[in-house]
Amino acid sequence: MKLLFIRHGEPDYVHDTLTEKGWREARLLAERIAPLDVKQYYVSPLGRAQDTARPTLERAGRTAVTLDWLREFTGRVRKPNLPGQDSIAWDWLPQDWTADERFFSDRAWTRNEIMAAGTAVTDYDAVIRQFDALLAAHGYQREGRLYRAVAPNHDTLVFFCHFALECVLLSRLINASPMVLWHGLCAAPSSVTTVATEERRPGAAYFRVLQFGDISHLYAHGEPPSFMARFRECASDPSVNET
């Protein structure tokens, strides 16, 4: 089975839709995704994901199932650099999160005191519980760190969602700390991440990332990638997306 995680196009966060560039990205994405043999499309309830999916669904003559847990990851914490106020759990300054070795473990990250005091851990557990249930409905039952291939198949599932949420799902599939993925990876708007099962022994499946954050559909048409989701490369650069 293949899973395609698609980050929404360049967002207009104020209006929860896409920028003019984001709409171009969504239309170019549709040329790539619509011809695929897709078993089921799933989409976040947020406008920017719904709008990204729309050109693909219209081109393919399909509909998508809206899943509330595919919305952007909502876990909140009170981080060291922002005392006294709640903020998103998935964006820390490097000097803060790398100082705690537990953040590099797929299990111990939940024991960080700041994470444990906020909503991130419970929100993470809620998302992966529903994700596991969806995979089970498609033939792959979670058992320990593997998936039992109850009904192995070559189906393709497409998820239109968000970067931080995508990292949560990937962390579950490959047994990695979401902190490492949130801070070590960057999926540009409209990018496609492809994950596939490998069943090297009958009945025991593992998910492997074949492509992460692919934006070849943009390059093929001369559309530059959006800078959104990235931060400045050098401290002397103009401030971009800083929190």
Side-chain angles (χ1 to χ4, degrees):
M1 182 167 69
K2 287 187 176 65
L3 310 177
L4 273 60
F5 300 111
I6 300 174
R7 187 188 174 203
H8 56 76
E10 184 177 87
D12 174 350
Y13 285 119
V14 173
H15 302 98
D16 191 24
T17 183
L18 302 177
T19 64
E20 182 179 341
K21 173 176 172 49
W23 280 108
R24 291 199 304 272
E25 293 172 344
R27 289 190 290 270
L28 295 177
L29 175 71
E31 294 183 21
R32 174 181 179 180
I33 302 299
L36 300 179
D37 181 10
V38 174
K39 176 73 172 181
Q40 184 64 63
Y41 291 95
Y42 297 101
V43 62
S44 156
L46 300 186
R48 53 193 183 273
Q50 294 272 336
D51 288 344
T52 301
R54 185 168 293 113
T56 293
L57 297 174
E58 291 177 350
R59 189 181 181 101
R62 298 284 298 276
T63 59
V65 176
T66 297
L67 298 174
D68 189 66
W69 54 268
L70 279 180
R71 67 177 54 244
E72 184 58 292
F73 186 65
T74 55
R76 309 289 289 183
V77 296
R78 292 197 172 184
K79 293 178 288 191
N81 62 309
L82 294 172
Q85 67 181 86
D86 290 340
S87 58
I88 54 177
W90 42 269
D91 176 22
W92 291 48
L93 292 176
Q95 60 266 36
D96 292 333
W97 80 269
T98 57
D100 190 339
E101 286 295 322
R102 292 174 294 184
F103 278 141
F104 293 89
S105 165
D106 69 316
R107 292 178 175 170
W109 74 272
T110 62
R111 296 196 289 272
N112 170 271
E113 290 75 14
I114 293 175
M115 282 293 188
T119 67
V121 177
T122 54
D123 289 352
Y124 179 92
D125 288 343
V127 169
I128 63 172
R129 182 170 60 252
Q130 293 172 95
F131 184 45
D132 281 347
L134 183 146
L135 294 179
H138 284 281
Y140 293 86
Q141 180 72 49
R142 180 82 180 195
E143 288 188 351
R145 292 182 178 272
L146 297 173
Y147 288 84
R148 182 161 57 92
V150 179
N153 60 75
H154 293 92
D155 293 344
T156 296
L157 309 180
V158 175
F159 301 82
F160 290 92
C161 53
H162 311 264
F163 171 65
L165 188 281
E166 175 182 339
C167 288
V168 167
L169 304 184
L170 288 176
S171 75
R172 181 61 167 173
L173 294 175
I174 66 173
N175 301 296
S177 165
M179 287 293 283
V180 174
L181 303 186
W182 286 329
H183 298 89
L185 300 177
C186 182
S190 86
S191 63
V192 182
T193 294
T194 303
V195 183
T197 52
E198 289 188 345
E199 192 181 352
R200 299 178 64 180
R201 295 290 186 277
Y206 195 78
F207 284 89
R208 193 170 190 181
V209 179
L210 306 184
Q211 293 176 310
F212 178 84
D214 181 58
I215 49 174
S216 57
H217 55 283
L218 301 183
Y219 288 128
H221 295 273
E223 181 70 33
S226 171
F227 196 86
M228 286 194 176
R230 295 182 58 196
F231 295 102
R232 53 190 176 183
E233 294 182 19
C234 300
S236 59
D237 295 341
S239 179
V240 179
N241 297 334
E242 293 289 359
T243 58

